[in-house]
Amino acid sequence: MLDTHYHLDQLDDETLHRLMEEAAVIRNIIAPATGLHSLERLLKIKNQYNERVEVGAGIHPEREMNGEIREEKKKLIQWIKENPSKIRAIGEVGLPYYSLENKQPNAIPEIAWEILHDFLALASELKLPVILHAVHTMAQPCLEAVKQHNIEKAVFHWLKAPDEVVRQIMDSGYYISVTPEVVYRERDQHLVWLVPIEQLLLETDGPYPHQGIYEGKLTHPLWIRDSIQAIAGIHGKLEEEIEQVTTQNALRFFFG
Ligand SMILES: [Zn+2]
C-alpha cells in the first residue's frame, strides 16, 4: 500500500514521527511540495525516513499568486533541473478553483497558467510524472494543458469532475486518486465506479481533515485500508485484488 498524497511538511516533528511509526505497513508516502519552503522541509523528512518518503516538487495552484511567486518558480525550476533524481514527481501543480471567486476558467490569473505550463514543460523534458490539483471546472482545461505538453503520466488528485471529463481523463490514459472520502461520500463512490481500477491511485491528502467517521481525527495514511475496503465493495472485487492493483499502479506511476 502507498499513500500517494500526504503533505508531511505540514506536521510538527513529534506528530510526524508518531504517524510514520504507526503507518509502518504503508510502503511509501509521496509528499508533494506546495512551494520552495515546503520542498526544503520535505527533503529533510525524506532523508530522515529514507525510501519510505518520496517527494514531488511544485507550486500549489491555490497559493496566493503575489509578486514574489514568479521568483520562487524560477528558483524551484532551477533546483529541479540540477537535482532531478531527488524527486519522484512534479507537483503539486494545477489550476486554482477554491481560491477563485468566479470558479470558471476565464477567471484564472495569467500567472497561474504560466506556472502550470512551465512545470508541465519541465515534467515533459525530465520525463517525470505529474501530480495535479485541478477540480470541477478546472479539470478539463488542465487535461488539455497536460495533453498539449505530451505528459506521459499524470494523476488528477482527489478529483471532482463531471462524468464526461472523468471519461476523457481515462481515455487519455491518465490516473485519478481518491481519498478516504470514498468511504462515506456518494460523489467519490460514483467516481470510483466510473474508473477502471488500473487507473486508480490511493491517497489521504493529509493532514487535510476528513469528515464522516474521521471527523475530528488527524488524517492518517492507514486510512488507505478503509478506502481499499470501500473500493472493493463498489467494484465487487476482493480487497486483496484492490490492494494489489492500486499498489502496482502507484509503483508503476512513481517508480516505473
Ligand atoms: Zn495536496
Side-chain angles (χ1 to χ4, degrees), residues 83-100:
N83 302 276
S85 63
K86 290 194 178 160
I87 58 170
R88 287 282 174 188
I90 294 296
E92 180 165 358
V93 294
L95 292 171
Y97 173 80
Y98 301 106
S99 55
L100 292 182

Side-chain angles (χ1 to χ4, degrees), residues 202-215:
L202 306 180
E203 60 151 313
T204 58
D205 202 22
Y208 187 85
H210 291 281
Q211 294 151 28
I213 58 168
Y214 304 112
E215 182 136 24

Side-chain angles (χ1 to χ4, degrees), residues 59-65 95-100 133 135:
I59 292 182
H60 197 292
E62 303 284 357
R63 281 187 50 199
E64 197 195 335
M65 297 288 161
L95 292 171
Y97 173 80
Y98 301 106
S99 55
L100 292 182
H133 169 107
V135 298

Side-chain angles (χ1 to χ4, degrees), residues 157-158 177-184 188 201-205 210 224 227:
H157 116 85
W158 200 351
S177 59
V178 290
T179 69
E181 213 170 48
V182 72
V183 171
Y184 60 89
D188 300 69
L201 302 181
L202 306 180
E203 60 151 313
T204 58
D205 202 22
H210 291 281
I224 293 291
S227 297

